[in-house]
Amino acid sequence: MNVSRNGPVRLSRALPLCGALVFGLTQTSFAQSESQAVKVPHVLPLMQDVKTPWTAPAKAPFTPPAIDNTTQAPVRRKNPALDNAPQITPMAETSKVYTAVVDGSLWAMGTAYKSQFNASTATYIPFFGSTAPDIYPLSLTLSSVSVGGQPVSFDSAVQPVFADLSVQYDRGILTEVYDLATDSVEQSFIFRSLPASGDLVLHIGVQSSLQASLAGDGLLFKNDLGAVTYSHAIAIDARGSKVELSATLNDGGIELRVPASFVATATFPLTVDPVMATFAPDAGTAVTTTPDVAYDVTNNVFCFTWEQVFGTTDHDVYTQMHNAAGTLVVGSTATIDFTTTYWAHPKIANNNIADNFLVVAERGLPTSGTREIVGRTRNAGSTTVGVQFVINGAESGDKSNPDVGGDPVLSGPTYYLVVWQRNFAAGDQDVHGRTVTAASVLNGPGTILIDNSSATNDTNPSVSKSDGIAPFATQSWGVVWQRTFNSADEDIRGATLLWDGSITNASFSVDFSGANDTNPTASSVLDGGTRPWLAAYQRGSGTAHDLQGTVLTGATFVTASNLSLLEGGTFSGEDQVRPSADSDGDTFAVAYSESFLGSGTDYDVYISSFSLSGATLSNIEVHQNLAFSTTHEDFVEITSDHSGGGTNDCYMAAWQDDSGTANIEGGRYCKPTITGTITSACEGNSGCPCNQNGGNPGGCPTSLNPAGALLTGTGNPSVSGDTVVLTASGMPATAPALFFQGTVTIAGGGSVFGDGKRCAGGTVVRLGTKTASGGTASYPSGSPAIHIKGMIPAGGGTFTYQAWFRNSAAFCTPSTFNLTNGLVIFWIP
């Protein structure tokens, strides 16, 4: 059971094989201390696109640590009944027709098609499956109308308009209408009047690579993947009288003919009405891939984004809202782009003060060499989206692999930071960025050249999900990426940028070992103090990767750990890849994908949480299942509630499940409540210089007490609410006792010291001396609190305590002193 800092009870991991679930979740509004009333952004410099030389220093040989290859098959046995049963499954709502206006054209999309409408032409694009090698548009243009053999004038170039779920062209004597359904488009021509009698003939020009043929009930435009059916039409007048019409192929297009007998008796308006639909038996469901997720506290929603594959040359980007329980906000799906332009690798972040999200992506075919980084905002409380806009500058080169970080504070101005990879030339990639307002306005005079070094491969940039809360002077994003040293050795580099986009720590080395380090991810900073952040990445090659973590304060190294071994090492022999990291302000969490018993096709998604104490990274809760099916779950991305302005110690994850076709899934994780602990250690029941204490909890026997002097602790071991009292009892009646603190517990049950054992070692701090009364003394008892005198870091940590007291009577050894047992106290923030 997890209890957040704000009180509501949350049940987590109720179904551990399907992810860490949370029910009955409430969200308080974001409250934070923002001491500065005014934020003044720096004036960003105009940075010239000039390459800077870099010479790689020599490396020391790298010896990888021993890997525990043990597996525990009985513990990890999977239940096929739980396969593909995630908590959350974001996907396009199939009962909905999506519409948009892009670059002057109207667009519509259903489950089996998308359509574009411009001034003269309507284009129907069938969905032939995500593996279709291309798209196959069918473009229709009303080219001529005649009645009784005489041409009828109409406006051939008029801007279409949306009218509910239809697109209408007012062409003067007639209105051309396209009614949009989820699985088809119904074309209509509505005549207000006609200038003469006779056969009414409409000729519709056709442009398509699909082969046209007559079918039993109309026309067929097809290839090996599927077909578009163009049904025989009907003509119907205002009284409801109707006649069936034949659609024929004539002069490179479609001809619809209404017989003169019907025209002569028709009451206007007269409507001619065919229907287009897609027939693609092998199309299946569209593949969805590359997910990401962000949180908005005001609306208490998580916004998922993903890439949907309409065809090999046409990828789209969607967004969708879910609440903290994983429930879909019905009607919340909004497209970022579903035109025939290729959008890929979407990422998302939140701007709290604006209550919106920014989705960024690369636009253009991967083979084009001219991709650009584009973005579009999404309102957190509605389906309203902003304009599409280009983020990168005029710098030469292909741009790819974008990422975006947001801002959770409620004092403006605030920005998004977008980073991307610039492919300058073969063997020369760079990391660039730009800050963007929540109103889609580019900030500053130009592109931020985060790393523009020459002849270096700098790839896969990642920016922290947010730049943290106040104080603003240390509110910053961490950016990490990988740099090629040689074909078998990638290194990790980093930079930090202030909330306004100014570079606070230019490109520096995060890891420069001889190991192959790839797929880096940056967490948000911890609150307060020196604002440490975590860079996590995978190390190794083939199917033998471990996860590594480096903690930094700005660019200053704090500590580094093998996270796979820090988890306990039980599963370190598995392949652990593609981490995603974030911070809840107090601690870090890292999600990742892991092979199941060495499988190359079955990977599962896990999450672990870690605390930082001084220069020590420790696990809080490790190897928690988010997905545990028999399919390949991978490419996980996480966000903390904190990064969107929330106060819960919880995270939302999104990942890709390659179960036949790729699907997007998600899960919720809340770390356990951290409580301080006080435990006895180093008792005098063994290892004493003379006698043992008979199995009692105290220290070694004294001249007066065969059970030994006992040290106990009471109170709350919290740096922010320290009420701990240490009490030593069973000492000589008026013995002076020195209470002291060590950073470690001496191994082997302590070392002989005087008549007793010393347990507290490492860096020792003298807390204070107290004189016993009746053999009992306490600390602090009027002295400074233990966390103050012991200089416990704000993040807490583990320390060992003892009392060293005078025992001058002849006993055991010639020494005149003894010690209590030890106490190990785990302090929390």
Side-chain angles (χ1 to χ4, degrees):
M1 180 171 290
N2 296 336
V3 181
S4 83
R5 295 189 299 260
N6 297 307
V9 174
R10 295 167 176 82
L11 302 179
S12 67
R13 291 167 297 285
L15 296 174
L17 295 184
C18 293
L21 308 186
V22 176
F23 303 94
L25 191 68
T26 62
Q27 174 63 58
T28 61
S29 62
F30 180 51
Q32 60 181 358
S33 173
E34 298 179 0
S35 57
Q36 297 93 331
V38 178
K39 293 171 67 179
V40 180
H42 293 84
V43 176
L44 301 182
L46 176 61
M47 305 179 77
Q48 301 297 325
D49 187 15
V50 177
K51 305 294 285 184
T52 55
W54 183 77
T55 302
K59 283 193 177 185
F62 175 76
T63 302
I67 298 296
D68 178 1
N69 287 304
T70 334
T71 56
Q72 296 184 354
V75 176
R76 307 197 75 202
R77 186 178 298 117
K78 294 191 176 183
N79 182 352
L82 296 173
D83 193 16
N84 300 325
Q87 177 191 357
I88 303 169
T89 310
M91 63 176 64
E93 296 173 77
T94 55
S95 61
K96 187 173 181 178
V97 175
Y98 299 90
T99 60
V101 180
V102 181
D103 295 333
S105 292
L106 308 189
W107 288 84
M109 180 171 59
T111 56
Y113 72 92
K114 60 177 66 173
S115 289
Q116 179 185 13
F117 304 92
N118 58 32
S120 60
T121 302
T123 301
Y124 183 92
I125 307 158
F127 175 62
F128 284 168
S130 293
T131 59
D134 206 341
I135 58 172
Y136 304 94
L138 176 68
S139 295
L140 306 176
T141 304
L142 181 61
S143 55
S144 68
V145 176
S146 66
V147 60
Q150 300 299 313
V152 175
S153 297
F154 62 91
D155 191 341
S156 61
V158 60
Q159 289 299 323
V161 296
F162 280 119
D164 294 325
L165 286 180
S166 70
V167 175
Q168 299 183 3
Y169 293 84
D170 185 351
R171 301 196 182 280
I173 198 171
L174 67 98
T175 300
E176 184 177 351
V177 178
Y178 293 85
D179 291 310
L180 310 170
T182 57
D183 58 353
S184 63
V185 175
E186 183 175 357
Q187 183 187 44
S188 303
F189 301 93
I190 304 171
F191 290 86
R192 300 178 182 85
S193 63
L194 287 172
S197 297
D199 286 354
L200 173 62
V201 180
L202 291 81
H203 188 272
I204 303 162
V206 175
Q207 292 289 327
S208 181
S209 64
L210 299 171
Q211 297 299 308
S213 63
L214 293 173
D217 60 349
L219 303 176
L220 209 61
F221 299 88
K222 67 178 183 178
N223 62 17
D224 292 340
L225 301 173
V228 177
T229 60
Y230 191 93
S231 69
H232 283 310
I234 63 169
I236 184 169
D237 73 356
R239 297 172 300 173
S241 298
K242 59 185 177 181
V243 62
E244 293 188 359
L245 312 176
S246 294
T248 59
L249 296 171
N250 184 22
D251 195 20
I254 301 168
E255 182 177 284
L256 301 174
R257 182 179 294 268
V258 183
S261 58
F262 188 82
V263 173
T265 60
T267 300
F268 289 91
L270 171 64
T271 301
V272 180
D273 191 7
V275 175
M276 290 177 288
T278 300
F279 175 72
D282 298 323
T285 304
V287 169
T288 52
T289 183
T290 60
D292 198 11
V293 61
Y295 177 67
D296 180 74
V297 66
T298 304
N299 296 279
N300 193 21
V301 290
F302 292 88
C303 187
F304 291 81
T305 187
W306 67 90
E307 179 180 344
Q308 185 153 305
V309 183
F310 191 83
T312 303
T313 62
D314 181 7
H315 290 202
D316 305 317
V317 173
Y318 285 77
T319 58
Q320 187 177 88
M321 306 294 190
H322 290 251
N323 64 23
T327 305
L328 168 69
V329 178
V330 176
S332 68
T333 310
T335 57
I336 299 301
D337 185 87
F338 67 86
T339 67
T340 52
T341 305
Y342 192 103
W343 284 54
H345 299 124
K347 297 293 183 181
I348 189 170
N350 175 257
N351 188 289
N352 187 21
I353 196 172
D355 292 332
N356 75 2
F357 301 95
L358 176 62
V359 178
V360 300
E362 61 185 59
R363 182 169 67 183
L365 288 171
T367 56
S368 67
T370 58
R371 286 172 293 180
E372 56 188 355
I373 306 304
V374 289
R376 193 174 201 180
T377 58
R378 161 73 199 269
N379 187 279
S382 71
T383 56
T384 302
V385 293
V387 297
Q388 297 178 2
F389 64 103
V390 177
I391 299 172
N392 59 262
E395 293 78 21
S396 63
D398 186 40
K399 287 88 175 176
S400 62
N401 293 333
D403 197 8
V404 58
D407 194 318
V409 306
L410 296 173
S411 296
T414 57
Y415 305 97
Y416 292 101
L417 174 62
V418 184
V419 299
W420 63 89
Q421 173 184 324
R422 191 271 291 266
N423 305 304
F424 182 74
D428 190 347
Q429 284 78 42
D430 305 302
V431 176
H432 290 178
R434 191 76 186 264
T435 45
V436 179
T437 73
S440 306
V441 176
L442 300 179
N443 179 51
T447 300
I448 304 168
L449 307 182
I450 298 173
D451 193 299
N452 211 46
S453 53
S454 60
T456 57
N457 282 315
D458 295 292
T459 60
N460 293 337
S462 167
V463 61
S464 52
K465 189 62 79 170
S466 80
D467 52 1
I469 64 171
F472 306 128
T474 54
Q475 186 195 6
S476 61
W477 292 282
V479 181
V480 291
W481 63 93
Q482 65 189 61
R483 173 175 288 180
T484 304
F485 185 79
N486 60 45
S487 60
D489 183 358
E490 296 276 336
D491 299 313
I492 306 300
R493 295 191 67 81
T496 62
L497 288 83
L498 198 64
W499 62 269
D500 59 8
S502 54
I503 296 177
T504 49
N505 288 285
S507 177
F508 62 88
S509 177
V510 174
D511 186 279
F512 194 65
S513 67
N516 192 44
D517 296 327
T518 56
N519 292 326
T521 174
S523 82
S524 303
V525 294
L526 299 185
D527 296 346
T530 56
R531 311 302 291 272
W533 58 286
L534 174 70
Y537 42 97
Q538 69 183 52
R539 171 170 290 176
S541 58
T543 57
H545 298 94
D546 275 353
L547 301 183
Q548 306 292 314
T550 298
V551 179
L552 303 121
T553 294
T556 302
F557 175 86
V558 176
T559 188
S561 297
N562 182 316
L563 301 181
S564 299
L565 296 179
L566 196 61
E567 286 190 323
T570 305
F571 305 107
S572 61
E574 298 289 354
D575 189 31
Q576 297 177 321
V577 295
R578 281 176 281 279
S580 176
D582 202 8
S583 157
D584 62 13
D586 293 328
T587 57
F588 303 113
V590 179
Y592 55 93
S593 182
E594 178 183 287
S595 62
F596 177 73
L597 300 180
S599 171
T601 59
D602 183 357
Y603 280 67
D604 305 304
V605 176
Y606 293 89
I607 190 168
S608 298
S609 50
F610 304 93
S611 65
L612 180 68
S613 173
T616 302
L617 195 63
S618 305
N619 62 57
I620 299 172
E621 185 174 51
V622 298
H623 213 253
Q624 298 298 300
N625 286 127
L626 287 172
F628 196 59
S629 75
T630 58
T631 57
H632 188 146
E633 290 121 343
D634 205 344
F635 301 99
V636 62
E637 297 287 345
I638 62 170
T639 185
S640 67
D641 294 15
H642 192 67
S643 285
T647 54
N648 289 333
D649 296 330
C650 296
Y651 297 79
M652 184 66 81
W655 62 88
Q656 176 179 316
D657 184 350
D658 292 325
S659 51
T661 59
N663 299 306
I664 304 305
E665 298 170 356
R668 180 82 161 146
Y669 168 76
C670 290
K671 77 179 185 191
T673 300
I674 306 173
T675 57
T677 58
I678 303 175
T679 56
S680 181
C682 196
E683 291 92 350
N685 49 31
S686 64
C688 292
C690 300
N691 302 321
Q692 316 309 321
N693 70 6
N696 291 295
C700 293
T702 73
S703 63
L704 300 173
N705 185 359
L710 177 65
L711 181 66
T712 59
T714 58
N716 179 26
S718 167
V719 176
S720 59
D722 177 11
T723 59
V724 174
V725 175
L726 302 177
T727 300
S729 60
M731 301 182 294
T734 59
L738 170 66
F739 292 84
F740 65 100
Q741 166 190 289
T743 53
V744 298
T745 302
I746 295 175
S751 58
V752 171
F753 188 52
D755 288 345
K757 295 190 300 181
R758 182 182 170 193
C759 306
T763 302
V764 173
V765 175
R766 297 164 59 100
L767 299 178
T769 300
K770 302 292 180 180
T771 300
S773 175
T776 299
S778 296
Y779 185 89
S781 185
S783 299
I786 294 174
H787 80 280
I788 295 174
K789 195 63 182 286
M791 296 177 287
I792 306 298
T798 302
F799 296 84
T800 305
Y801 298 86
Q802 268 187 293
W804 176 12
F805 59 91
R806 184 169 180 80
N807 184 198
S808 59
F811 174 76
C812 186
T813 75
S815 298
T816 58
F817 60 89
N818 206 325
L819 298 96
T820 65
N821 59 295
L823 283 184
V824 177
I825 300 183
F826 172 61
W827 293 86
I828 62 173

